[in-house]
């Protein structure tokens, strides 16, 4: 009977550990309060215990575990800095499928979602978002000096001699056509490096993809004859701006914690520290959230 009990206990412990990941801090068990069902103030509890548990989905550049077990990514590093300023020096990471992050937060498997999750009205019915820490929209790369004077998709539409490279299957093709760009102006390429090559070879006058993706391509190419259009105007499709805004998410009841988090996030942005944290992950000043708030983005 003792052997059977021991086997059963080991199996139960193994099941409990499935789905967790090692990070750069020491793991703690649920017995230390990570899944506590009591109603004490999360801000008070986190300060008392000195750590917080975060859910992430292992998606670069937002949140991911490195081969040596370090939890990093733009969302993680922004949260790490804010939490330190709040007096919480450690984070435990719980690896979770993206679609299970909100259910996991509500079930108290972790206390914050740090996955760069976009704020939208549907998600805001389930969780309370912090104010956005970054934004992502479309971006444009051209030859140095921007010889065709392109600053928007409408500029491309207005010059029938301009061709633009788009990766096959990318949403940018739809955005371009809905912005009035003729189909014969759109050059479909198999991948992002092929788009850059087409621009270098003069087969197109522009390349478009999301901001961080384009910046990463330009950084890796290191071609000083190419440049990103830094005053690019985001397209509006069917009356809506396509830019998305990502943020940390909290349970609805954790109001004090979210407000303290927002206060430190605002300080980071005003000091320029937020951009410093974002830059190593391919973000530029073009991806700053400016003065957008979670309340604005949560409205239908």
């Amino acid at each position: 009977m003792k052997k059977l009990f021991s086997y059963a206990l080991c199996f139960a412990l193994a099941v409990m550990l499935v789905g967790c990941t090692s990070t750069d801090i020491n793991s703690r068990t649920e017995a230390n309060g990570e899944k506590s069902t009591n109603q004490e103030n999360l801000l008070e509890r986190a300060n008392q215990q000195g750590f917080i548990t975060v859910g992430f989905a292992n998606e670069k550049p937002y949140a991911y575990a490195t081969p040596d077990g370090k939890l990093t990514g733009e969302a993680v590093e922004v949260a790490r800095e804010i939490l330190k300023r709040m007096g919480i020096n450690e984070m435990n990471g719980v690896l979770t499928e993206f679609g299970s992050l909100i259910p996991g937060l509500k079930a108290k498997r972790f206390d914050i979602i740090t996955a760069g999750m976009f704020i939208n009205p549907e998600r805001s019915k389930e969780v309370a978002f912090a104010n956005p820490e970054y934004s992502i929209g479309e971006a444009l790369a051209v030859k140095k000096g921007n010889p065709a004077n392109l600053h928007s998709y409408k500029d491309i539409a207005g010059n029938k001699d301009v061709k633009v490279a788009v990766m096959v299957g990318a949403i940018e093709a739809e955005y371009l056509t809905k912005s009035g760009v003729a189909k014969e102006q759109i050059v479909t390429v198999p991948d992002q490096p092929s788009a850059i090559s087409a621009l270098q070879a003069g087969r197109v006058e522009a390349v478009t993809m999301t901001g961080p993706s384009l910046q990463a391509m330009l950084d890796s190419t290191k071609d000083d004859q190419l440049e990103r259009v830094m005053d690019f105007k985001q397209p509006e499709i069917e009356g809506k701006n396509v830019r998305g805004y990502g943020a940390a998410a909290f349970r609805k009841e954790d109001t004090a914690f979210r407000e303290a988090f927002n206060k430190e996030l605002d300080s980071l942005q005003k000091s320029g520290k937020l951009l410093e944290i974002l830059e190593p992950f391919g973000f530029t000043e073009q991806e700053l959230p400016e003065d957008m708030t979670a309340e604005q983005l949560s409205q239908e």
Side-chain angles (χ1 to χ4, degrees):
M1 289 296 292
K2 287 183 178 180
K3 286 184 178 181
L4 288 173
F5 178 80
S6 297
Y7 293 155
L9 180 59
C10 289
F11 177 78
L13 288 172
V15 169
M16 288 172 63
L17 291 171
V18 170
C20 296
T21 184
S22 298
T23 69
D24 52 331
I25 46 87
N26 293 328
S27 296
R28 285 179 170 86
T29 65
E30 292 178 357
N32 285 334
E34 294 168 347
K35 200 176 178 182
S36 172
T37 57
N38 61 42
Q39 297 301 311
E40 65 181 324
N41 185 291
L42 175 60
L43 183 58
E44 293 176 357
R45 172 162 62 86
N47 275 288
Q48 289 172 1
Q49 65 192 14
F51 71 94
I52 198 78
T53 308
V54 302
F56 72 105
N58 213 38
E59 180 186 10
K60 293 183 179 180
Y62 308 106
Y64 55 96
T66 63
D68 62 356
K70 177 179 171 60
L71 181 58
T72 189
E74 71 77 20
V76 171
E77 298 305 336
V78 169
R80 195 190 305 278
E81 178 64 24
I82 289 174
L83 292 169
K84 283 182 179 179
R85 294 180 179 214
M86 292 168 60
I88 305 162
N89 294 316
E90 297 183 6
M91 289 195 301
N92 286 345
V94 179
L95 177 60
T96 305
E97 290 183 2
F98 192 85
S100 298
L101 284 169
I102 289 178
L105 177 69
K106 295 176 73 173
K108 300 190 177 182
R109 289 188 60 218
F110 36 82
D111 297 310
I112 314 174
I113 296 173
T114 57
M117 182 176 283
F118 274 12
I119 305 170
N120 64 35
E122 183 178 354
R123 289 171 178 160
S124 297
K125 293 174 183 176
E126 302 293 324
V127 298
F129 282 98
N131 287 328
E133 61 204 33
Y134 76 90
S135 66
I136 285 184
E138 300 305 318
L140 206 64
V142 295
K143 286 286 184 71
K144 187 176 181 180
N146 197 359
N149 196 28
L150 303 174
H151 302 276
S152 68
Y153 286 172
K154 290 191 178 296
D155 287 342
I156 298 174
N159 187 342
K160 300 305 179 183
D161 293 329
V162 169
K163 289 186 176 2
V164 56
V166 179
M167 189 172 65
V168 63
I171 190 65
E172 285 79 14
E174 179 182 336
Y175 292 165
L176 286 163
T177 56
K178 287 186 175 181
S179 298
V181 178
K183 289 184 178 180
E184 55 268 24
Q185 291 180 264
I186 302 172
V187 177
T188 303
V189 294
D191 51 35
Q192 292 174 344
S194 298
I196 297 296
S197 296
L199 180 59
Q200 290 172 316
R203 295 194 300 274
V204 299
E205 285 68 41
V207 167
T208 186
M209 56 187 79
T210 61
S213 295
L214 182 63
Q215 192 62 46
M217 288 305 305
L218 292 175
D219 289 345
S220 63
T221 303
K222 298 179 181 177
D223 186 341
D224 62 6
Q225 295 305 304
L226 306 180
E227 66 179 45
R228 180 175 174 180
V229 178
M230 298 308 290
D231 58 349
F232 178 74
K233 184 178 181 180
Q234 291 297 317
E236 289 191 0
I237 306 301
E238 298 173 351
K240 294 183 179 180
N241 193 299
V242 300
R243 183 176 289 276
Y245 294 80
F250 303 83
R251 288 182 288 271
K252 292 272 190 179
E253 63 266 28
D254 293 328
T255 304
F257 199 108
R258 182 171 55 87
E259 289 177 351
F261 191 96
N262 272 339
K263 180 179 179 181
E264 296 300 339
L265 175 61
D266 183 61
S267 177
L268 280 185
Q269 185 166 350
K270 287 179 177 177
S271 69
K273 180 67 175 177
L274 178 60
L275 180 57
E276 288 181 24
I277 297 172
L278 294 175
E279 282 180 325
F281 301 99
F283 296 78
T284 71
E285 63 269 22
Q286 292 285 302
E287 281 72 54
L288 289 174
E290 298 180 342
D291 58 353
M292 190 63 71
T293 67
E295 183 179 3
Q296 290 172 300
L297 295 165
S298 297
Q299 295 175 358
E300 296 282 0

